[in-house]
């Protein structure tokens, strides 16, 4: 369970300006729940994820994961970054092995486990490839395997499919859901794609334009095994409803820009 | 076919220059003392090689260059990473680097000579002084441009402190660090030769000064050719090493510094 209470975050730029990124964010995520954080670009979604991950200092408010206040990064919270963040000097296998090695998994076990997860994300045959030789979709699969292999209780995903083409993206979405059904974890999935949020999450948290706040929480539980879910009325209505909430914020975010 | 032309083109230029040298020197426009024919110079290099003198000089110069180069790397890489990672260390060293880098280090030669004498220690010290700057600055730049997400990914699995530097910062910064080393190696050779010229003794630079003293024109020009070849080989070796070491890097070919 994740409890976030009154969290604010302000960035200080190098020329000394303060940029409020988050303001008084409170939310609760239940055990093994899949939630989406939805909001326009620049509203502080990544910032919130980094705070939960323990990568940024929590200056005001509190973040608790399973009752323990977050004070730094830890393997209980696995992160999939927007730009993969694979170690480019390590092969796919080397990338997946690294975390296991750091966590002290015995040598023979970690090799087997790494190959299992590489297989799970469909990268069998690419164990010895370097990330620079992989397509965007394959990089994201490798990053997912690396994070899943350390078996985190909480999965933090920052627009993981944002850089992928439409086909690869819908494939990865379906696979992610399949993986989640097989081994349910608490997932916080950041996206600015309404359809993606509605398809994946049980609840969608809509954020306001910068400084980010939680503007609305929408339940989005569907029978996802239906292959025509995207065309079903319930799904389309839900997308419309949430799109309405997001549009105002997207326009506000646009206005704040120079052009 | 086109590829073949590109491969031989650089050599064609070298051959053309060599031919121009030979023809110009033989034309009588200059005296053989001012510019001996290339064939005479090459014959001299062959003779020096046969007598073993060339190899002795080469060995001394390379020893000083490499000793200085390796010390510069061993000091410069960790120091650069430390400066790049730690703001306090950066404040301490930044002025030193800003002043020291553009400074002609050869200006310290008299002091180094006073302190350490005429022998290898002071020559190698001169090499270290000059060759460390490109290494340190490259290591700083490489370290500071490591993506924070890479560090976070590692910290997430519990990597901390020295392990984080060794396992993430060093490999991530390696392409830039290696570029610094590629700049530093020819500098090491140059400084070793200049120091030999100033301080005398065995070595390619020392031999050239001795040849000058005896008005041995082919000997001087032989030195020039030997240094050019040695420098070329070193630069090429570094480029090959880079390609092997950075196999994972998308631009495994660049920059070759030719
Ligand atoms: N390191 C930083 N320094 C200054 N401002 C930042 C920094 N990182 C993010 N910001 C600003 O904070 C706001 C929120 O950023 P982010 O959390 O990345 O938004 P999102 O992920 O929703 O696109 C943005 O307006 C961004 O410009
Ligand atoms: Mg973001």
């Amino acid at each position: 369970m994740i409890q976030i209470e009154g969290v604010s975050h302000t960035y200080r730029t190098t020329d000394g300006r303060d940029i409020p990124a988050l303001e008084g964010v409170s939310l609760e995520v239940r055990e093994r729940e899949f939630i989406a954080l939805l909001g326009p670009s620049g509203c502080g979604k990544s910032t919130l994820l980094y705070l939960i991950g323990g990568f940024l200092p929590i200056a005001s408010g509190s973040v608790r994961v399973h009752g323990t206040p977050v004070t730094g990064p830890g393997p209980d919270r696995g992160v999939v970054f927007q730009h993969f963040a694979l170690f480019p000097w390590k092969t796919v296998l080397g990338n997946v092995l690294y975390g296991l090695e750091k966590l002290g998994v015995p040598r023979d076990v970690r090799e087997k486990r790494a190959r299992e997860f590489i297989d799970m994300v469909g990268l069998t045959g690419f164990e010895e490839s370097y990330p620079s030789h992989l397509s965007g979709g394959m990089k994201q699969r490798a990053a997912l395997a690396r994070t899943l292999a350390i078996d985190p209780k909480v999965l933090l995903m920052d627009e993981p499919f944002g850089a992928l083409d439409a086909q690869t993206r819908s494939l990865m979405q379906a696979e992610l859901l399949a993986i989640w059904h097989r081994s349910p974890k608490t997932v916080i999935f950041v996206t600015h794609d309404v359809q993606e949020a509605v398809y994946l999450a049980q609840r969608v948290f809509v954020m306001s334009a910068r400084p980010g706040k939680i503007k609305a929480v929408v339940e989005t539980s569907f029978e996802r095994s239906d292959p025509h879910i995207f065309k079903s009325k319930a799904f389309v209505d839900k997308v419309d409803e949430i799109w309405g909430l997001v549009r105002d914020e997207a326009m506000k975010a646009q206005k704040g820009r120079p052009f | 076919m086109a590829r073949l032309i590109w491969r031989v083109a650089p050599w064609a230029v070298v051959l053309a220059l060599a031919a121009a040298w030979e023809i110009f020197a033989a034309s009588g426009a200059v005296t053989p003392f001012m510019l001996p024919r290339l064939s005479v110079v090459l014959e001299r290099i062959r003779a020096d090689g046969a007598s073993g003198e060339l190899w002795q000089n080469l060995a001394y110069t390379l020893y000083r260059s490499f000793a200085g180069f390796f010390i510069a790397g061993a000091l410069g890489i960790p120091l650069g990473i430390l400066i790049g990672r730690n703001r306090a260390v950066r404040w301490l060293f930044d002025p030193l680097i800003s002043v020291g880098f553009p400074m002609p280090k050869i200006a310290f030669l008299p002091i180094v000579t006073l302190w350490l004498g005429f022998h290898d220690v002071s020559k190698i010290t001169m090499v270290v002084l000059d060759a460390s700057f490109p290494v340190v600055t490259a290591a700083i730049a490489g370290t500071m441009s490591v993506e924070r997400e890479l560090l976070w990914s590692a910290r997430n699995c519990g990597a901390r402190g020295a392990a984080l530097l060794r396992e993430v910062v060093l490999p991530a910064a390696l392409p830039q660090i290696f570029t610094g080393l590629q700049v530093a190696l020819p500098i090491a050779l140059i400084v070793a030769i200049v120091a030999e010229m100033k301080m005398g003794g065995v070595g390619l630079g020392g031999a050239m000064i001795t040849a000058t003293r005896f008005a041995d024109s082919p000997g001087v020009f032989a030195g020039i050719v030997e240094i050019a070849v040695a420098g070329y080989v070193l630069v090429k070796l570094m480029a090959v090493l880079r390609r092997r070491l950075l196999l994972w890097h998308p631009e495994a070919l660049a920059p070759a510094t030719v």
Side-chain angles (χ1 to χ4, degrees), chain B residues 219-242:
Chain B
V220 174
F221 280 92
I224 298 278
V225 174
E226 288 157 13
I227 290 165
V229 172
Y232 174 82
V233 171
L234 289 187
V235 166
K236 280 294 169 190
L237 281 179
M238 284 299 274
V240 171
L241 193 62
R242 179 191 184 94

Side-chain angles (χ1 to χ4, degrees), chain A residues 46 82 158-159:
Chain A
S46 298
Q82 187 169 2
D158 192 359
E159 307 197 32

Side-chain angles (χ1 to χ4, degrees), chain A residues 143-239:
Chain A
L144 191 59
R146 177 176 70 171
T147 305
L148 290 174
I150 62 172
D151 195 23
K153 286 200 180 66
V154 176
L155 197 52
L156 307 170
M157 306 183 83
D158 192 359
E159 307 197 32
F161 310 144
L164 308 182
D165 61 86
Q167 258 170 333
T168 314
R169 178 195 299 214
S170 66
L171 211 69
M172 294 289 291
Q173 287 168 349
E175 277 179 30
L176 177 63
L177 276 186
I179 289 169
W180 180 68
H181 278 299
R182 247 177 293 158
S183 66
K185 297 176 183 301
T186 310
V187 181
I188 300 187
F189 189 100
V190 164
T191 180
H192 62 252
D193 179 338
V194 179
Q195 206 171 15
E196 182 173 63
V198 174
Y199 175 58
L200 291 175
Q202 297 173 312
R203 284 193 297 162
V204 176
F205 290 69
V206 180
M207 288 178 72
S208 69
R210 191 172 65 83
K213 290 184 273 294
I214 302 297
K215 178 174 164 163
V217 185
V218 184
E219 297 272 345
T220 48
S221 288
F222 295 96
E223 183 43 64
R224 287 184 176 79
S225 51
D226 175 8
H228 301 294
I229 176 176
F230 292 109
K231 292 190 192 117
S232 74
K233 176 150 170 40
F235 186 86
V236 173
D237 285 351
K238 203 52 114 176
V239 169

Side-chain angles (χ1 to χ4, degrees), chain B residues 26 37 74 97 144 168 257:
Chain B
R37 282 189 296 143
I97 291 169
M144 291 184 70
V168 181
T257 333

Side-chain angles (χ1 to χ4, degrees), chain B residues 33 49 79 84 172 187 248 254-255:
Chain B
F33 180 75
L79 181 63
I187 290 180
W248 52 269

Side-chain angles (χ1 to χ4, degrees), chain B residues 79-227:
Chain B
L79 181 63
I81 290 177
L82 219 64
I83 295 173
R85 288 289 295 170
N86 188 303
R87 198 180 304 175
V89 182
R90 189 150 64 240
W91 277 338
L92 194 66
F93 278 92
D94 192 50
L96 251 129
I97 291 169
S98 306
V99 173
F101 202 0
M103 197 129 167
K105 262 68 74 183
I106 202 73
F108 293 105
L109 189 101
I111 302 168
V112 171
T113 313
L114 277 179
W115 287 352
L116 302 170
F118 285 101
H119 295 290
D120 279 347
V121 181
S122 43
K123 287 171 190 153
I124 292 168
T125 304
M126 289 307 299
V127 174
V128 173
L129 273 180
D130 247 308
S132 346
F133 282 94
V135 181
V136 173
T137 46
I140 296 173
T143 302
M144 291 184 70
S145 61
V146 176
E147 279 177 69
R148 61 179 187 173
E149 282 86 354
L150 286 186
L151 296 164
W152 288 354
S153 291
R155 284 183 57 202
N156 213 17
C157 314
R160 298 275 185 281
L164 197 64
L165 295 184
R166 198 177 53 246
E167 290 161 5
V168 181
V169 178
L170 179 64
L174 197 59
Q176 286 197 55
I177 291 177
F178 208 89
T179 303
L181 292 173
Q182 283 177 295
V183 174
L185 187 57
I187 290 180
L189 182 68
I190 292 166
V191 175
I193 289 166
V194 171
E196 285 169 4
M197 286 180 159
K198 288 280 138 197
M199 297 165 156
V202 192
L204 293 178
M208 280 177 74
I209 290 298
T210 310
T212 313
R213 210 172 288 146
F214 288 97
D216 170 13
S217 170
V220 174
F221 280 92
I224 298 278
V225 174
E226 288 157 13
I227 290 165

Side-chain angles (χ1 to χ4, degrees), chain A:
Chain A
M1 193 172 73
I2 299 168
Q3 294 156 299
I4 298 169
E5 271 168 47
V7 164
S8 302
H9 191 83
T10 302
Y11 286 106
R12 165 75 46 96
T13 61
T14 37
D15 55 355
R17 279 179 310 123
D18 281 344
I19 297 183
L22 292 173
E23 205 173 80
V25 172
S26 299
L27 61 91
E28 244 185 71
V29 186
R30 296 186 282 265
E31 191 85 40
R32 299 183 170 183
E33 189 181 17
F34 195 133
I35 71 129
L37 269 182
L38 183 71
S41 181
C43 75
K45 304 182 294 294
S46 298
T47 305
L48 185 54
L49 215 62
Y50 296 158
L51 287 165
I52 303 168
F55 303 118
L56 296 175
I58 297 160
S60 70
S62 77
V63 178
R64 289 164 174 277
V65 175
H66 300 112
T68 320
V70 167
T71 52
D76 57 323
R77 285 149 289 144
V79 190
V80 178
F81 292 103
Q82 187 169 2
H83 301 291
F84 324 124
L86 291 165
F87 302 125
W89 59 91
K90 286 183 186 289
T91 60
V92 169
L93 183 63
N95 266 283
V96 180
L97 280 174
Y98 180 77
L100 298 174
E101 197 184 312
K102 284 278 119 185
L103 294 176
V105 178
R107 184 177 287 270
D108 42 334
V109 180
R110 68 180 181 240
E111 176 96 16
K112 192 165 159 287
R113 187 138 126 216
R115 290 186 188 278
E116 262 170 41
F117 280 94
I118 290 171
D119 192 44
M120 181 196 268
V121 298
L123 277 183
T124 314
F126 293 94
E127 291 87 349
E128 303 304 327
S129 300
Y130 287 104
S132 61
H133 298 161
L134 300 178
S135 69
M138 290 159 90
K139 281 183 205 169
Q140 198 52 278
R141 286 163 198 267
L144 191 59
R146 177 176 70 171
T147 305
L148 290 174
I150 62 172
D151 195 23
K153 286 200 180 66
V154 176
L155 197 52
L156 307 170
M157 306 183 83
D158 192 359
E159 307 197 32
F161 310 144
L164 308 182
D165 61 86
Q167 258 170 333
T168 314
R169 178 195 299 214
S170 66
L171 211 69
M172 294 289 291
Q173 287 168 349
E175 277 179 30
L176 177 63
L177 276 186
I179 289 169
W180 180 68
H181 278 299
R182 247 177 293 158
S183 66
K185 297 176 183 301
T186 310
V187 181
I188 300 187
F189 189 100
V190 164
T191 180
H192 62 252
D193 179 338
V194 179
Q195 206 171 15
E196 182 173 63
V198 174
Y199 175 58
L200 291 175
Q202 297 173 312
R203 284 193 297 162
V204 176
F205 290 69
V206 180
M207 288 178 72
S208 69
R210 191 172 65 83
K213 290 184 273 294
I214 302 297
K215 178 174 164 163
V217 185
V218 184
E219 297 272 345
T220 48
S221 288
F222 295 96
E223 183 43 64
R224 287 184 176 79
S225 51
D226 175 8
H228 301 294
I229 176 176
F230 292 109
K231 292 190 192 117
S232 74
K233 176 150 170 40
F235 186 86
V236 173
D237 285 351
K238 203 52 114 176
V239 169
D240 270 349
E241 176 194 341
I242 294 176
W243 178 233
L245 292 166
V246 173
R247 190 177 41 213
D248 304 341
E249 299 306 325
M251 272 154 65
K252 265 188 238 163
Q254 282 296 324
K255 255 185 219 147
R257 301 246 169 99
F259 342 91

